Amino acid sequence: MEQQQAPRWWAVVAVMIGIFLLVTAEQLPIGLLSQVASSMGVTPGMAGLMVTVPGVVAAFSAPLLPVAVGRLDRRIMLTVLMVVMVAGSVLSALASSFILLLAARVLVGLSIGGFWAVAGSIAPRLVPEAQVPKAMTMIFGGVAAASVLGVPLGTLLGDFSNWRVAFGALGGFSLLTAIALWRWLPPLPPREPVRLRVLAQQFSNRGVRVAVLTTGFVVVGHFAAYTFISPILQEISGISQRHVGSLLLLYGAAGILGNIAAGMFAGRHPYRAVLAIPSLLLIVVAAFPVLGIQPSSGVFLLMAWGAVFGSVSVSIQTWILRTAPNTEAATALMAFTFNMSIGLGAMVGGRIVDGTSLPIAMWAASGLFLLGALLVLSTPARVVGERSR
């Protein structure tokens, strides 16, 4: 581990802001979909490719970019990826056709996958060991903050001006963040170059296998149900459509609180923290069609859902730091799993909703949460250094 004179908290803040901007960029088109579709002369369904394309690209760039750059200093890598984000945002704002807009979104996907793969593994290199849980909480707090602040603010800016202004503003903030990363991050040469062979070797470690599979079950299950949260709140809980947006802001705020609580708890008890996620999601989501039939109970369950899912990133990454033989390679695999699971979950949930009903989709998601919980239960707590369950 590099010699540290003091914790590099400004570096942690810069990485957190980078994650915040990247997640905002990935989700921003959701709020601007109708505007872009009208401006570009495409259907809303076609405009949805603005989310699909960077998600798929991010899934593959997460494991492959660290391999491609080899021994490149991670300070340089993160800074360059943020500059690529600047280019993707600016080109999105200037795109004269939908094809060019999708091409710009490919650059955004490259940035998301590569940045996330590295960012999750560098906290122990920026602060002393005792402060790693706090640093991890801050870094992954950027994910929840993007849902609460980034996407709504970007959407609001687009509504008041134009969708191109929103993308352009994102590019400007990304440029400032690239400068901050270069200024505040210390040199971060890779401890071991990530190679395809090293990526494959991670699966020989039981802790990494469990983390990857549990993440897959949880994220696919979550997005199989949460993708349809608007009709769920309206049709099951009887909540008016005009209130859905404000409730999703509260959902995101609950996610931030869940991230903070998990950061403090997972640092001491990573096994219990990861076990709690699919277990609690199973209870909340399975109960929603039965107990969430009133506005008040629906809102309560939504907040609980947000708090639990908000704890996923920091809890799983803490598990990875405790178990992976190569944390950067394992984090890259986790980023791949997370991004692919988002798309798979939305696709599976859509098929179930179209073929059956919203409650069936929620119960199917709960089945995946059950598999995740059973997988963690079948794993000895000592795998992550806990003495007991």
Side-chain angles (χ1 to χ4, degrees):
M1 181 177 292
E2 291 82 358
Q3 295 295 317
Q4 299 169 349
Q5 298 299 318
R8 298 180 183 271
W9 289 112
W10 282 114
V12 173
V13 169
V15 175
M16 177 195 71
I17 295 173
I19 289 285
F20 169 83
L21 291 173
L22 290 165
V23 175
T24 297
E26 187 174 27
Q27 299 181 13
L28 182 59
I30 294 173
L32 301 172
L33 208 64
S34 298
Q35 240 192 81
V36 176
S38 176
S39 173
M40 290 292 183
V42 298
T43 65
M46 183 70 70
L49 290 174
M50 290 189 297
V51 179
T52 303
V53 167
V56 173
V57 173
F60 286 97
S61 69
L64 295 181
L65 266 182
V67 173
V69 299
R71 293 185 177 275
L72 181 68
D73 190 304
R74 276 18 185 177
R75 175 196 184 204
I76 298 175
M77 180 180 176
L78 291 177
T79 304
V80 169
L81 285 171
M82 193 53 60
V83 171
V84 172
M85 171 71 173
V86 174
S89 299
V90 172
L91 290 174
S92 295
L94 298 176
S96 58
S97 69
F98 188 65
I99 294 298
L100 291 177
L101 179 55
L102 289 184
R105 296 293 290 170
V106 169
L107 295 178
V108 174
L110 285 171
S111 301
I112 294 168
F115 196 100
W116 198 322
V118 175
S121 64
I122 65 172
R125 307 178 69 180
L126 300 176
V127 299
E129 183 178 356
Q131 295 177 312
V132 167
K134 181 180 178 181
M136 292 285 295
T137 300
M138 289 179 63
I139 289 173
F140 286 104
V143 177
S147 299
V148 176
L149 298 174
V151 175
L153 288 177
T155 303
L156 193 63
L157 179 59
D159 289 341
F160 275 109
S161 54
N162 184 278
W163 65 268
R164 295 181 186 275
V165 174
F167 281 113
L170 193 60
F173 284 118
S174 298
L175 178 59
L176 293 175
T177 303
I179 295 171
L181 288 165
W182 183 255
R183 181 180 178 86
W184 291 333
L185 280 175
L188 295 169
R191 290 170 177 164
E192 179 182 348
V194 178
R195 308 185 191 282
L196 290 175
R197 171 178 52 81
V198 176
L199 288 172
Q201 287 173 349
Q202 302 309 300
F203 285 102
S204 65
N205 179 279
R206 184 173 184 178
V208 174
R209 288 200 307 274
V210 172
V212 169
L213 291 173
T214 301
T215 299
F217 287 135
V218 168
V219 177
V220 171
H222 170 77
F223 281 93
Y226 182 72
T227 300
F228 309 97
I229 192 61
S230 182
I232 286 171
L233 291 174
Q234 294 175 68
E235 297 178 23
I236 294 179
S237 302
I239 294 172
S240 172
Q241 193 275 334
R242 70 178 185 273
H243 297 308
V244 170
S246 57
L247 288 177
L248 293 185
L249 286 175
L250 292 177
Y251 168 93
I256 290 179
L257 295 178
N259 177 75
I260 294 171
M264 294 186 292
F265 184 74
R268 301 187 303 271
H269 307 291
Y271 180 91
R272 295 176 218 182
V274 172
L275 176 60
I277 292 169
S279 302
L280 293 175
L281 285 175
L282 168 62
I283 295 170
V284 171
V285 177
F288 209 114
V290 178
L291 301 180
I293 55 177
Q294 299 294 328
S296 57
S297 58
V299 170
F300 174 81
L301 289 172
L302 179 68
M303 297 303 100
W305 191 346
V308 177
F309 192 75
S311 70
V312 168
S313 295
V314 68
S315 299
I316 294 288
Q317 187 61 33
T318 301
W319 177 297
I320 285 292
L321 290 177
R322 292 283 190 94
T323 61
N326 184 311
T327 56
E328 186 174 305
T331 301
L333 291 175
M334 291 299 301
F336 171 86
T337 301
F338 207 102
N339 281 284
M340 286 299 291
S341 297
I342 290 173
L344 181 60
M347 181 182 69
V348 169
R351 296 294 297 272
I352 295 175
V353 168
D354 288 344
T356 55
S357 65
L358 289 169
I360 296 298
M362 301 186 82
W363 289 327
S366 300
L368 291 174
F369 299 144
L370 176 61
L371 290 177
L374 292 175
L375 177 62
V376 179
L377 274 174
S378 68
T379 305
R382 64 178 180 273
V383 167
V384 288
E386 285 196 42
R387 295 181 179 178
S388 63
R389 297 182 182 180

PDB file of all heavy atoms in Angstrom, residues 47 63 69 74 79 130-131 138-139 149-150 153 165 185-186 188 206 215 222 229 271 278 287 300 302 328 377:
ATOM      1  N   ALA A  47     -36.128   6.352 -28.815  1.00  0.00           N
ATOM      2  CA  ALA A  47     -35.333   7.258 -27.985  1.00  0.00           C
ATOM      3  C   ALA A  47     -34.791   6.548 -26.749  1.00  0.00           C
ATOM      4  O   ALA A  47     -33.757   6.944 -26.199  1.00  0.00           O
ATOM      5  CB  ALA A  47     -36.171   8.465 -27.574  1.00  0.00           C
ATOM      6  N   PRO A  63     -14.907  -4.587 -17.592  1.00  0.00           N
ATOM      7  CA  PRO A  63     -13.816  -5.557 -17.461  1.00  0.00           C
ATOM      8  C   PRO A  63     -12.719  -5.399 -18.508  1.00  0.00           C
ATOM      9  O   PRO A  63     -11.569  -5.779 -18.266  1.00  0.00           O
ATOM     10  CB  PRO A  63     -14.533  -6.902 -17.626  1.00  0.00           C
ATOM     11  CG  PRO A  63     -15.702  -6.604 -18.488  1.00  0.00           C
ATOM     12  CD  PRO A  63     -16.134  -5.211 -18.132  1.00  0.00           C
ATOM     13  N   VAL A  69      -5.672  -1.081 -20.825  1.00  0.00           N
ATOM     14  CA  VAL A  69      -4.706  -0.035 -20.446  1.00  0.00           C
ATOM     15  C   VAL A  69      -3.518  -0.580 -19.686  1.00  0.00           C
ATOM     16  O   VAL A  69      -2.529   0.129 -19.470  1.00  0.00           O
ATOM     17  CB  VAL A  69      -5.401   1.070 -19.609  1.00  0.00           C
ATOM     18  CG1 VAL A  69      -6.503   1.722 -20.407  1.00  0.00           C
ATOM     19  CG2 VAL A  69      -5.928   0.523 -18.286  1.00  0.00           C
ATOM     20  N   ARG A  74      -3.657   4.777 -12.707  1.00  0.00           N
ATOM     21  CA  ARG A  74      -5.114   4.911 -12.587  1.00  0.00           C
ATOM     22  C   ARG A  74      -5.550   6.365 -12.433  1.00  0.00           C
ATOM     23  O   ARG A  74      -6.689   6.717 -12.737  1.00  0.00           O
ATOM     24  CB  ARG A  74      -5.632   4.072 -11.426  1.00  0.00           C
ATOM     25  CG  ARG A  74      -5.895   2.591 -11.703  1.00  0.00           C
ATOM     26  CD  ARG A  74      -5.228   2.058 -12.916  1.00  0.00           C
ATOM     27  NE  ARG A  74      -5.598   0.669 -13.205  1.00  0.00           N
ATOM     28  CZ  ARG A  74      -5.188  -0.010 -14.257  1.00  0.00           C
ATOM     29  NH1 ARG A  74      -4.390   0.570 -15.133  1.00  0.00           N
ATOM     30  NH2 ARG A  74      -5.563  -1.251 -14.461  1.00  0.00           N
ATOM     31  N   THR A  79      -8.852  10.330 -15.105  1.00  0.00           N
ATOM     32  CA  THR A  79      -8.929  11.674 -15.686  1.00  0.00           C
ATOM     33  C   THR A  79      -9.307  11.613 -17.160  1.00  0.00           C
ATOM     34  O   THR A  79     -10.175  12.363 -17.635  1.00  0.00           O
ATOM     35  CB  THR A  79      -7.589  12.412 -15.517  1.00  0.00           C
ATOM     36  OG1 THR A  79      -7.232  12.452 -14.127  1.00  0.00           O
ATOM     37  CG2 THR A  79      -7.697  13.832 -16.038  1.00  0.00           C
ATOM     38  N   ALA A 130      -8.620   2.243   8.616  1.00  0.00           N
ATOM     39  CA  ALA A 130      -9.749   2.479   9.518  1.00  0.00           C
ATOM     40  C   ALA A 130     -10.806   3.389   8.910  1.00  0.00           C
ATOM     41  O   ALA A 130     -11.972   3.373   9.331  1.00  0.00           O
ATOM     42  CB  ALA A 130      -9.252   3.070  10.837  1.00  0.00           C
ATOM     43  N   GLN A 131     -10.424   4.181   7.916  1.00  0.00           N
ATOM     44  CA  GLN A 131     -11.353   5.148   7.324  1.00  0.00           C
ATOM     45  C   GLN A 131     -11.874   4.703   5.961  1.00  0.00           C
ATOM     46  O   GLN A 131     -12.608   5.446   5.313  1.00  0.00           O
ATOM     47  CB  GLN A 131     -10.666   6.512   7.204  1.00  0.00           C
ATOM     48  CG  GLN A 131     -10.329   7.121   8.566  1.00  0.00           C
ATOM     49  CD  GLN A 131      -9.587   8.434   8.445  1.00  0.00           C
ATOM     50  OE1 GLN A 131      -8.621   8.538   7.693  1.00  0.00           O
ATOM     51  NE2 GLN A 131     -10.033   9.441   9.177  1.00  0.00           N
ATOM     52  N   MET A 138     -18.793   7.486   0.932  1.00  0.00           N
ATOM     53  CA  MET A 138     -18.799   8.731   0.176  1.00  0.00           C
ATOM     54  C   MET A 138     -18.792   8.476  -1.320  1.00  0.00           C
ATOM     55  O   MET A 138     -19.584   9.056  -2.076  1.00  0.00           O
ATOM     56  CB  MET A 138     -17.592   9.587   0.570  1.00  0.00           C
ATOM     57  CG  MET A 138     -17.669  10.180   1.956  1.00  0.00           C
ATOM     58  SD  MET A 138     -16.194  11.156   2.377  1.00  0.00           S
ATOM     59  CE  MET A 138     -16.288  12.460   1.127  1.00  0.00           C
ATOM     60  N   ILE A 139     -17.911   7.587  -1.787  1.00  0.00           N
ATOM     61  CA  ILE A 139     -17.794   7.332  -3.218  1.00  0.00           C
ATOM     62  C   ILE A 139     -19.103   6.811  -3.796  1.00  0.00           C
ATOM     63  O   ILE A 139     -19.611   7.314  -4.798  1.00  0.00           O
ATOM     64  CB  ILE A 139     -16.636   6.350  -3.502  1.00  0.00           C
ATOM     65  CG1 ILE A 139     -15.284   7.040  -3.254  1.00  0.00           C
ATOM     66  CG2 ILE A 139     -16.706   5.815  -4.932  1.00  0.00           C
ATOM     67  CD1 ILE A 139     -14.090   6.116  -3.343  1.00  0.00           C
ATOM     68  N   LEU A 149     -30.605  14.071  -6.943  1.00  0.00           N
ATOM     69  CA  LEU A 149     -30.316  15.438  -7.379  1.00  0.00           C
ATOM     70  C   LEU A 149     -29.981  15.537  -8.866  1.00  0.00           C
ATOM     71  O   LEU A 149     -30.528  16.393  -9.564  1.00  0.00           O
ATOM     72  CB  LEU A 149     -29.144  16.002  -6.562  1.00  0.00           C
ATOM     73  CG  LEU A 149     -29.352  16.130  -5.054  1.00  0.00           C
ATOM     74  CD1 LEU A 149     -28.052  16.565  -4.391  1.00  0.00           C
ATOM     75  CD2 LEU A 149     -30.462  17.122  -4.759  1.00  0.00           C
ATOM     76  N   GLY A 150     -29.090  14.687  -9.338  1.00  0.00           N
ATOM     77  CA  GLY A 150     -28.566  14.833 -10.692  1.00  0.00           C
ATOM     78  C   GLY A 150     -29.629  14.732 -11.766  1.00  0.00           C
ATOM     79  O   GLY A 150     -29.795  15.648 -12.589  1.00  0.00           O
ATOM     80  N   LEU A 153     -32.478  17.476 -11.453  1.00  0.00           N
ATOM     81  CA  LEU A 153     -31.986  18.806 -11.810  1.00  0.00           C
ATOM     82  C   LEU A 153     -31.703  18.914 -13.303  1.00  0.00           C
ATOM     83  O   LEU A 153     -31.997  19.931 -13.939  1.00  0.00           O
ATOM     84  CB  LEU A 153     -30.730  19.142 -11.006  1.00  0.00           C
ATOM     85  CG  LEU A 153     -30.932  19.441  -9.524  1.00  0.00           C
ATOM     86  CD1 LEU A 153     -29.587  19.674  -8.841  1.00  0.00           C
ATOM     87  CD2 LEU A 153     -31.836  20.659  -9.335  1.00  0.00           C
ATOM     88  N   VAL A 165     -29.148  21.839 -23.765  1.00  0.00           N
ATOM     89  CA  VAL A 165     -28.526  22.609 -22.683  1.00  0.00           C
ATOM     90  C   VAL A 165     -28.191  21.690 -21.516  1.00  0.00           C
ATOM     91  O   VAL A 165     -27.121  21.806 -20.895  1.00  0.00           O
ATOM     92  CB  VAL A 165     -29.450  23.756 -22.232  1.00  0.00           C
ATOM     93  CG1 VAL A 165     -28.872  24.474 -21.014  1.00  0.00           C
ATOM     94  CG2 VAL A 165     -29.670  24.741 -23.372  1.00  0.00           C
ATOM     95  N   LEU A 185      -5.944  13.597  -7.154  1.00  0.00           N
ATOM     96  CA  LEU A 185      -5.560  12.188  -7.035  1.00  0.00           C
ATOM     97  C   LEU A 185      -4.034  12.063  -6.997  1.00  0.00           C
ATOM     98  O   LEU A 185      -3.329  12.742  -7.742  1.00  0.00           O
ATOM     99  CB  LEU A 185      -6.096  11.377  -8.206  1.00  0.00           C
ATOM    100  CG  LEU A 185      -7.562  10.947  -8.168  1.00  0.00           C
ATOM    101  CD1 LEU A 185      -7.940  10.266  -9.474  1.00  0.00           C
ATOM    102  CD2 LEU A 185      -7.839  10.035  -6.986  1.00  0.00           C
ATOM    103  N   PRO A 186      -3.503  11.192  -6.156  1.00  0.00           N
ATOM    104  CA  PRO A 186      -2.065  10.908  -6.185  1.00  0.00           C
ATOM    105  C   PRO A 186      -1.762   9.946  -7.330  1.00  0.00           C
ATOM    106  O   PRO A 186      -2.682   9.365  -7.919  1.00  0.00           O
ATOM    107  CB  PRO A 186      -1.833  10.229  -4.835  1.00  0.00           C
ATOM    108  CG  PRO A 186      -3.124   9.506  -4.586  1.00  0.00           C
ATOM    109  CD  PRO A 186      -4.201  10.404  -5.127  1.00  0.00           C
ATOM    110  N   LEU A 188      -1.339   6.611  -9.026  1.00  0.00           N
ATOM    111  CA  LEU A 188      -1.953   5.339  -8.643  1.00  0.00           C
ATOM    112  C   LEU A 188      -1.571   4.247  -9.648  1.00  0.00           C
ATOM    113  O   LEU A 188      -2.413   3.752 -10.401  1.00  0.00           O
ATOM    114  CB  LEU A 188      -3.476   5.477  -8.571  1.00  0.00           C
ATOM    115  CG  LEU A 188      -4.042   6.402  -7.491  1.00  0.00           C
ATOM    116  CD1 LEU A 188      -5.525   6.654  -7.716  1.00  0.00           C
ATOM    117  CD2 LEU A 188      -3.812   5.796  -6.106  1.00  0.00           C
ATOM    118  N   ARG A 206     -14.139 -18.086  -3.846  1.00  0.00           N
ATOM    119  CA  ARG A 206     -15.552 -18.261  -3.492  1.00  0.00           C
ATOM    120  C   ARG A 206     -16.225 -16.944  -3.127  1.00  0.00           C
ATOM    121  O   ARG A 206     -17.374 -16.695  -3.489  1.00  0.00           O
ATOM    122  CB  ARG A 206     -15.672 -19.239  -2.320  1.00  0.00           C
ATOM    123  CG  ARG A 206     -17.124 -19.545  -1.944  1.00  0.00           C
ATOM    124  CD  ARG A 206     -17.213 -20.633  -0.903  1.00  0.00           C
ATOM    125  NE  ARG A 206     -18.600 -20.992  -0.627  1.00  0.00           N
ATOM    126  CZ  ARG A 206     -18.975 -21.945   0.218  1.00  0.00           C
ATOM    127  NH1 ARG A 206     -18.038 -22.649   0.863  1.00  0.00           N
ATOM    128  NH2 ARG A 206     -20.247 -22.206   0.410  1.00  0.00           N
ATOM    129  N   THR A 215     -25.093 -10.216  -6.623  1.00  0.00           N
ATOM    130  CA  THR A 215     -25.382  -8.950  -7.305  1.00  0.00           C
ATOM    131  C   THR A 215     -26.306  -9.170  -8.493  1.00  0.00           C
ATOM    132  O   THR A 215     -27.252  -8.412  -8.716  1.00  0.00           O
ATOM    133  CB  THR A 215     -24.074  -8.285  -7.768  1.00  0.00           C
ATOM    134  OG1 THR A 215     -23.263  -8.002  -6.630  1.00  0.00           O
ATOM    135  CG2 THR A 215     -24.355  -6.996  -8.526  1.00  0.00           C
ATOM    136  N   HIS A 222     -34.424  -6.460  -8.814  1.00  0.00           N
ATOM    137  CA  HIS A 222     -34.824  -5.074  -8.541  1.00  0.00           C
ATOM    138  C   HIS A 222     -35.388  -4.401  -9.781  1.00  0.00           C
ATOM    139  O   HIS A 222     -36.484  -3.819  -9.743  1.00  0.00           O
ATOM    140  CB  HIS A 222     -33.618  -4.293  -8.020  1.00  0.00           C
ATOM    141  CG  HIS A 222     -33.843  -2.813  -7.929  1.00  0.00           C
ATOM    142  ND1 HIS A 222     -34.583  -2.230  -6.924  1.00  0.00           N
ATOM    143  CD2 HIS A 222     -33.430  -1.801  -8.732  1.00  0.00           C
ATOM    144  CE1 HIS A 222     -34.616  -0.922  -7.104  1.00  0.00           C
ATOM    145  NE2 HIS A 222     -33.922  -0.638  -8.195  1.00  0.00           N
ATOM    146  N   ILE A 229     -42.212   1.024 -11.510  1.00  0.00           N
ATOM    147  CA  ILE A 229     -42.657   1.572 -10.237  1.00  0.00           C
ATOM    148  C   ILE A 229     -43.786   2.581 -10.408  1.00  0.00           C
ATOM    149  O   ILE A 229     -44.654   2.697  -9.542  1.00  0.00           O
ATOM    150  CB  ILE A 229     -41.468   2.208  -9.479  1.00  0.00           C
ATOM    151  CG1 ILE A 229     -41.850   2.513  -8.042  1.00  0.00           C
ATOM    152  CG2 ILE A 229     -40.949   3.437 -10.206  1.00  0.00           C
ATOM    153  CD1 ILE A 229     -42.243   1.305  -7.226  1.00  0.00           C
ATOM    154  N   TYR A 271     -20.620  -9.584   5.950  1.00  0.00           N
ATOM    155  CA  TYR A 271     -21.464 -10.750   5.676  1.00  0.00           C
ATOM    156  C   TYR A 271     -22.925 -10.446   5.990  1.00  0.00           C
ATOM    157  O   TYR A 271     -23.828 -10.676   5.176  1.00  0.00           O
ATOM    158  CB  TYR A 271     -20.987 -11.949   6.503  1.00  0.00           C
ATOM    159  CG  TYR A 271     -21.808 -13.200   6.274  1.00  0.00           C
ATOM    160  CD1 TYR A 271     -21.446 -14.114   5.293  1.00  0.00           C
ATOM    161  CD2 TYR A 271     -22.947 -13.460   7.034  1.00  0.00           C
ATOM    162  CE1 TYR A 271     -22.197 -15.263   5.071  1.00  0.00           C
ATOM    163  CE2 TYR A 271     -23.708 -14.609   6.816  1.00  0.00           C
ATOM    164  CZ  TYR A 271     -23.328 -15.505   5.839  1.00  0.00           C
ATOM    165  OH  TYR A 271     -24.088 -16.625   5.620  1.00  0.00           O
ATOM    166  N   PRO A 278     -30.792  -8.995   0.039  1.00  0.00           N
ATOM    167  CA  PRO A 278     -31.846  -9.783  -0.616  1.00  0.00           C
ATOM    168  C   PRO A 278     -32.938 -10.212   0.348  1.00  0.00           C
ATOM    169  O   PRO A 278     -34.102 -10.342  -0.059  1.00  0.00           O
ATOM    170  CB  PRO A 278     -31.085 -10.990  -1.173  1.00  0.00           C
ATOM    171  CG  PRO A 278     -29.862 -11.099  -0.339  1.00  0.00           C
ATOM    172  CD  PRO A 278     -29.494  -9.688   0.029  1.00  0.00           C
ATOM    173  N   ALA A 287     -44.306  -8.314  -0.318  1.00  0.00           N
ATOM    174  CA  ALA A 287     -45.460  -7.810   0.441  1.00  0.00           C
ATOM    175  C   ALA A 287     -46.184  -6.682  -0.276  1.00  0.00           C
ATOM    176  O   ALA A 287     -47.358  -6.408   0.032  1.00  0.00           O
ATOM    177  CB  ALA A 287     -44.993  -7.333   1.816  1.00  0.00           C
ATOM    178  N   PHE A 300     -44.781   3.889   2.372  1.00  0.00           N
ATOM    179  CA  PHE A 300     -43.885   3.300   3.376  1.00  0.00           C
ATOM    180  C   PHE A 300     -43.021   2.205   2.765  1.00  0.00           C
ATOM    181  O   PHE A 300     -41.800   2.161   2.978  1.00  0.00           O
ATOM    182  CB  PHE A 300     -44.706   2.737   4.543  1.00  0.00           C
ATOM    183  CG  PHE A 300     -43.876   1.990   5.549  1.00  0.00           C
ATOM    184  CD1 PHE A 300     -43.166   2.662   6.524  1.00  0.00           C
ATOM    185  CD2 PHE A 300     -43.799   0.597   5.515  1.00  0.00           C
ATOM    186  CE1 PHE A 300     -42.383   1.975   7.444  1.00  0.00           C
ATOM    187  CE2 PHE A 300     -43.032  -0.103   6.428  1.00  0.00           C
ATOM    188  CZ  PHE A 300     -42.325   0.595   7.399  1.00  0.00           C
ATOM    189  N   LEU A 302     -42.291   1.798  -0.381  1.00  0.00           N
ATOM    190  CA  LEU A 302     -41.388   2.389  -1.359  1.00  0.00           C
ATOM    191  C   LEU A 302     -40.143   2.950  -0.679  1.00  0.00           C
ATOM    192  O   LEU A 302     -39.023   2.777  -1.180  1.00  0.00           O
ATOM    193  CB  LEU A 302     -42.102   3.499  -2.133  1.00  0.00           C
ATOM    194  CG  LEU A 302     -41.257   4.234  -3.179  1.00  0.00           C
ATOM    195  CD1 LEU A 302     -40.908   3.302  -4.337  1.00  0.00           C
ATOM    196  CD2 LEU A 302     -41.982   5.474  -3.693  1.00  0.00           C
ATOM    197  N   GLU A 328      -9.203  -4.713  -8.134  1.00  0.00           N
ATOM    198  CA  GLU A 328      -9.572  -3.958  -9.343  1.00  0.00           C
ATOM    199  C   GLU A 328     -10.227  -4.873 -10.365  1.00  0.00           C
ATOM    200  O   GLU A 328     -11.237  -4.512 -10.982  1.00  0.00           O
ATOM    201  CB  GLU A 328      -8.347  -3.281  -9.946  1.00  0.00           C
ATOM    202  CG  GLU A 328      -8.693  -2.364 -11.108  1.00  0.00           C
ATOM    203  CD  GLU A 328      -7.501  -1.572 -11.608  1.00  0.00           C
ATOM    204  OE1 GLU A 328      -6.867  -0.887 -10.787  1.00  0.00           O
ATOM    205  OE2 GLU A 328      -7.223  -1.631 -12.822  1.00  0.00           O
ATOM    206  N   LEU A 377     -26.503 -17.348   2.509  1.00  0.00           N
ATOM    207  CA  LEU A 377     -26.649 -18.219   3.681  1.00  0.00           C
ATOM    208  C   LEU A 377     -25.814 -19.490   3.543  1.00  0.00           C
ATOM    209  O   LEU A 377     -25.326 -20.025   4.547  1.00  0.00           O
ATOM    210  CB  LEU A 377     -28.121 -18.583   3.878  1.00  0.00           C
ATOM    211  CG  LEU A 377     -28.974 -17.595   4.677  1.00  0.00           C
ATOM    212  CD1 LEU A 377     -30.438 -18.021   4.652  1.00  0.00           C
ATOM    213  CD2 LEU A 377     -28.481 -17.484   6.115  1.00  0.00           C
TER     214      LEU A 377
END
